[in-house]
Every structure is written in C-alpha cells, then in structure tokens.
C-alpha cells in the first residue's frame, strides 16, 4: 500500500511546476492525507499551502529543503515543523537566496563561454519570481534546443566539470540543523542515497548530523531504489535516527515518483512523525 504521508515536495516557490495551492489539491486527489511542502531555501509558499489544506482534507506540515555544503559536496537537509516566521531562519534563507542569484549569473557566464547566450535571463523568465535553480537552467536549455530532455541536460551542462556548473558554498550542516531545531523543527537528511559519499563519509555524515541534533533521514524517497529503502532503514536504526518519507515531487514530467505512490516505511523504522498530532489519524 502507498503511504498517506508525503514530507518532501516542491511548488513554484522553488523549482516545482504547481503553485502551493494546486500542489495541496493535487496531493489530496492522489490520496495523501499529511503533506509537507519543502521548497528549496524558501518558506514563502507555506502560508498559502496551509490555508488551502483544510479545504482538501489535508493535514499540513511546514517544511523547507536547505542547501548545505559538507566536505565540498552539496547535501540537502529538510526541516519539518519549522516556524516559518522564525527570524534567524528567515534571515539565513535570505542569504542563501542572494547567493543563488550570484551563482546563477556565474552559471550563465560559463554557458556563454560555450556559445549559449542569454541563459540567466532565460532561466529567470522560466523561474518567474521564484528562486533560480539548476532546474530552471535545465528547462531553458531544453526549450532552446541545446539538448533533447531534462535528463541529458544535467549530464551535459549542469554537473561538476560541465560549463554551467558552479562550485557554490551553501550553508554549513551545523548551521542548517541548528536553525531548524531553534525554530522548533526536526532536521532530516534528504535522499541520502543520492550523494556519492562512499561508506566512510556516509557514516561520518550520519554521526555528525546526529551530534548536531538531527532527527531523521529519508528512507523512502523518489530518489531511492527499493534496496536502498532497506539499506537506509538499517542506517537509521544504527544511528538511532527516525525515518521519513517523501516523493520529492516537482510536477508532471519533472519527478522521479508521483504523489500518492510512495511506498510505506519498512516496519523496522521509527517514523519521524510518530509523536505528531497531524499524523495521528493515518490508517
Ligand atoms: P540547485 O539547488 O539549483 O543545484 O538545483 C538542484 C535541483 O535540480 C534539484 O532539486 C532537482 O530538482 C534538479 N536536479 C538536480 N540534478 C538533477 C538530475 N540529474 N536530473 C534532473 N533534475 C535534477
Ligand atoms: Mn528541486
Ligand atoms: Mn533535494
Ligand atoms: Mn527536493
């Protein structure tokens, strides 16, 4: 059976295709009962999603997905049940978003060097007021015929060593976990199976994350294969971390997994929502 809880997805506030309201409606139609919206480095969609939730029978949970640099790699840390009005968190996310704009200009300069002009303006037009992410550059490059689809565009232009990649310094792991906790939230390592860390660094990450007060890791996510569900269920147990579930839905055609199709956690897992009032009526 599919899980009725989804604690990771994106709206037009970051790189998703649906507005916060439409995303809540879509989640409800897909059988989701408890939903967290987790836009990249931005909490400004939470109010609209929260207001829409009761109209669709959804229990809404505040969320954010913070970009972090750890050992020169980019990791994503999800914050759940954060206070979206918390000043320290808001200020820190403001800084990250300013950094995103500078990075986008550098990315465009890199693409210009290989003959692709106007990428900053093009990506910005697609982003339409939202933060600028690599997804928007990907869509610009596809729409302008530089590659055939969003999958190949990352490999060709937007990953390390390619012309549109910029090695950016995001927030530190300690700061991200600290801000999430200080705003009343629970910190969760997003899609741990996606980072090419190697065994030692993965164990170091879990240890360090736990030492800062991290709460959980995503065990079931659109980015993991079924064997990885088992692998990370064991990892969570080993480090006494709770487990989370999320589709990482970005919209039709932009997602690894549809909403409402995310498998349940392995039974050995302690859910990150085990003491949440929002989740008490889940079947
Ligand atoms: P950014 O935070 O600006 O680096 O953008 C990262 C976003 O790009 C992710 O959240 C995904 O939505 C998307 N993304 C990253 N890598 C890929 C990939 N290989 N294929 C498709 N989308 C990707
Ligand atoms: Mn994204
Ligand atoms: Mn992510
Ligand atoms: Mn995500």
């Amino acid at each position: 059976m599919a899980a009725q809880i989804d604690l990771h997805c994106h709206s037009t506030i970051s790189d998703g295709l649906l507005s916060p309201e439409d995303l809540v409606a879509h989640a409800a139609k897909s059988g989701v009962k408890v939903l967290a919206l987790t836009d990249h480095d931005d909490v400004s969609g939470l109010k609209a999603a929260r207001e829409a939730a009761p109209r669709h029978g959804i229990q809404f949970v505040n969320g954010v997905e913070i970009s972090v640099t750890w050992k020169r790699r980019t990791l994503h840390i999800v914050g759940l049940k954060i206070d979206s009005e918390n000043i320290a968190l808001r200020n820190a996310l403001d800084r990250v978003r300013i950094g995103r704009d500078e990075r986008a200009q550098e990315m465009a300069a890199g693409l210009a060097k290989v003959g692709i002009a106007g990428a900053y303006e093009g990506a910005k037009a697609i982003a339409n007021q939202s933060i600028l992410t690599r997804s928007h550059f990907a869509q610009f490059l596809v729409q302008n015929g530089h590659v055939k689809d969003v999958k190949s565009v990352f490999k060709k232009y937007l990953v390390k060593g390619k012309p549109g990649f910029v090695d950016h310094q995001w927030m530190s792991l300690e700061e991200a976990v600290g801000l999430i906790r200080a705003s009343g939230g629970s910190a969760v390592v997003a899609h741990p199976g996606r980072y090419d860390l190697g065994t030692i660094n993965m164990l170091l990450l879990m240890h360090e994350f736990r030492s800062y007060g991290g709460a959980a890791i995503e065990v079931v996510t659109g980015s993991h294969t079924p064997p990885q569900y088992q692998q990370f269920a064991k990892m969570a147990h080993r480090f006494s971390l709770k487990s989370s579930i999320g589709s990482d839905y970005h919209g039709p055609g932009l997602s690894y997994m549809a909403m409402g199709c995310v498998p349940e956690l392995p039974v050995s897992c302690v859910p990150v929502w085990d003491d949440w009032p929002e989740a008490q009526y889940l079947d």
Side-chain angles (χ1 to χ4, degrees), residues 8 10 40 65 248 250:
H8 187 153
H10 297 271
H40 297 287
E65 183 175 17
D248 207 355
H250 281 70

Side-chain angles (χ1 to χ4, degrees), residues 124-257:
K124 208 167 171 63
I126 292 166
N128 183 26
Q129 321 274 328
S130 83
I131 60 164
L132 267 172
T133 73
R134 281 186 295 159
S135 296
H136 299 112
F137 280 87
Q139 289 167 64
F140 165 80
L141 289 165
V142 173
Q143 285 173 22
N144 285 269
H146 298 289
V147 277
K148 63 177 188 326
D149 58 35
V150 172
K151 269 220 154 66
S152 40
V153 75
F154 273 87
K155 265 194 229 137
K156 194 162 175 204
Y157 288 111
L158 299 172
V159 295
K160 218 174 199 113
K162 302 298 171 178
F165 184 83
V166 171
D167 212 0
H168 190 71
Q169 185 70 35
W170 302 106
M171 204 184 281
S172 74
L173 179 64
E174 183 172 15
E175 186 180 9
V177 175
L179 285 165
I180 290 167
R181 292 185 72 205
S183 81
S186 298
V188 182
V189 177
H191 42 62
R194 230 167 76 184
Y195 314 125
D196 205 7
L197 286 179
T199 312
I200 302 285
N201 276 330
M202 181 60 78
L203 296 176
L204 270 176
L205 170 64
M206 294 295 139
H207 180 78
E208 209 175 306
F209 175 71
R210 184 85 182 89
S211 75
Y212 298 142
I217 62 175
E218 285 183 349
V219 167
V220 175
T221 131
S223 303
H224 285 176
T225 60
Q228 284 177 315
Y229 304 159
Q230 302 306 325
Q231 178 192 344
F232 287 102
K234 278 196 199 126
M235 186 75 83
H237 182 75
R238 177 167 177 185
F239 286 88
S240 301
L241 290 161
K242 294 182 177 179
S243 301
S244 191
I245 287 189
S247 59
D248 207 355
Y249 184 72
H250 281 70
L254 262 191
S255 300
Y256 305 109
M257 200 178 261

Side-chain angles (χ1 to χ4, degrees), residues 72-122:
R72 307 192 61 203
R73 292 175 173 89
T74 299
L75 309 179
H76 288 169
I77 302 296
V78 162
L80 298 174
K81 287 176 79 78
I82 47 161
D83 171 8
S84 56
E85 301 304 315
N86 182 278
I87 297 295
L89 178 65
R90 290 187 80 103
N91 287 344
L93 294 178
D94 284 349
R95 285 200 305 278
V96 174
R97 290 199 303 276
I98 292 167
R100 271 194 176 276
D101 200 71
E102 292 163 2
R103 168 202 191 222
Q105 295 184 37
E106 287 177 50
M107 287 170 67
L111 290 168
K113 279 195 190 137
V114 294
I116 299 173
Y120 178 80
E121 294 74 16

